[in-house]
Amino acid sequence: MRLELKNIRKSFGEKEVLKEISFSAESGRAFGLLGRNGAGKTTTIRILMDVFSGDKGEIQIDGNPIDYTQIRIGYLPEERGLYPKKKIIDQLIYFARLHGMKRQEAVKAIDYWLDRLGMSEYRNKRLDTLSKGNQQKIQLVTALAHDPQIVILDEPFSGLDPVNAMLLKDVVKEEIAKGKIVLFSSHQMNYIEEFCDSIAILNGGKIVLQGNIHDIKHNYVRDKLVVRSEEADAIRERFGSCCLKRTANELLIQMAGAEEKQRMMKQLTEAYDIDEIKIFEPSLNDIFVEYAGDQD
């Protein structure tokens, strides 16, 4: 299954929030929708979920307009939306039935997910008796119990300790392996890099960068060297302003161009005791800061 958003525009009053947004995501893969607060991520997600319509553009599944009576979407919001004073099982059944499930099948699916997430003992408790991390896991059950084809996760690891984060990682990998389309929205770039094949970075309501993460990194200008050496201070003194100190023994050297790589490597290794030298490959966090740093 292929999900496509084509030329989506949206304004609220005189403020244009989305400006011709287009991207696609495929079954069995995770896609990262990235951007700073106010970039347009939440508006994009709400249009995708049919909370409200875009002013222009179209959402398609396999080349046809999306039919929300046939496509199941699961959503884990950044802001929690459950009722703190209500019994957990009653809430979960309620939300599952809103997605069209019969009560018996809803109970069966909910009990499976409660067990999978280690939450069965809390089945009949009130939500406000749980820790923040466990409330997050209950919210996740509402997103997955109805077996959605598209899973949207907005800051899914917020509030989770390392053990529960690992559990959620396993669940996400299982959903991807089942052939679901998984959309991530997060500021935690390490998780995006771990799960997502492709990304789109929103800035000021426009997509300023999108594509396969590996390709984006590989096509990045390869004009910097990472050098690790006990003689880092001497190297820095020699190369001056084009040399940035990253740690006590690690430097980032800006070359005049990518074609300088071999010459610079030879020059450094012949003159200094070098422990490691390699082309600098930016992290996704580096790329995000570059493209999302200033918003219109």
Side-chain angles (χ1 to χ4, degrees), residues 62-240:
D62 294 333
N64 298 308
I66 188 169
D67 181 351
Y68 287 100
T69 67
Q70 299 298 318
I71 297 297
R72 300 181 303 278
I73 298 177
Y75 178 46
L76 177 68
E78 180 178 7
E79 299 297 330
R80 303 301 160 241
L82 299 181
Y83 302 101
K85 303 297 183 182
K86 299 294 184 181
K87 190 188 296 186
I88 287 169
I89 184 62
D90 292 342
Q91 295 193 62
L92 293 176
I93 291 172
Y94 171 73
F95 282 107
R97 298 201 70 186
L98 285 180
H99 286 289
M101 298 185 79
K102 296 179 180 178
R103 182 181 178 85
Q104 187 174 356
E105 65 175 345
V107 171
K108 182 178 179 180
I110 289 163
D111 282 338
Y112 165 80
W113 280 110
L114 289 175
D115 180 65
R116 177 69 183 85
L117 297 172
M119 298 295 292
S120 295
E121 65 183 287
Y122 303 106
R123 186 181 191 272
N124 294 303
K125 294 186 179 296
R126 288 189 347 189
L127 189 73
D128 61 1
T129 65
L130 274 59
S131 67
K132 183 178 178 182
N134 282 338
Q135 288 185 31
Q136 173 82 327
K137 290 197 286 184
I138 295 299
Q139 185 92 40
L140 181 63
V141 176
T142 70
L144 298 178
H146 59 291
D147 192 25
Q149 296 127 304
I150 300 172
V151 180
I152 302 172
L153 304 173
D154 193 352
E155 297 293 353
F157 295 95
S158 175
L160 295 183
D161 61 48
V163 174
N164 280 324
M166 184 64 68
L167 177 60
L168 179 54
K169 284 183 184 182
D170 291 341
V171 169
V172 171
K173 290 174 182 177
E174 290 168 8
E175 292 299 290
I176 294 171
K178 290 176 185 176
K180 308 291 181 71
I181 293 174
V182 177
L183 264 64
F184 269 95
S185 177
S186 179
H187 293 118
Q188 296 173 287
M189 297 299 132
N190 55 319
Y191 290 124
I192 297 295
E193 286 206 74
E194 181 172 354
F195 291 109
C196 297
D197 297 290
S198 299
I199 60 167
I201 297 179
L202 279 166
N203 190 328
K206 299 176 289 188
I207 291 181
V208 293
L209 180 70
Q210 70 172 304
N212 178 274
I213 294 177
H214 176 269
D215 293 342
I216 288 171
K217 287 186 172 185
H218 185 73
N219 292 329
Y220 218 78
V221 179
R222 300 167 68 81
D223 62 352
K224 297 182 184 71
L225 289 177
V226 176
V227 178
R228 189 162 54 82
S229 170
E230 295 292 331
E231 299 181 78
D233 289 338
I235 297 171
R236 189 182 182 197
E237 184 176 346
R238 175 175 176 180
F239 286 92

Side-chain angles (χ1 to χ4, degrees), residues 243-257:
C243 189
L244 176 67
K245 192 170 186 178
R246 286 159 61 93
T247 65
N249 296 322
E250 187 175 281
L251 304 169
L252 183 66
I253 300 178
Q254 175 70 59
M255 299 182 289

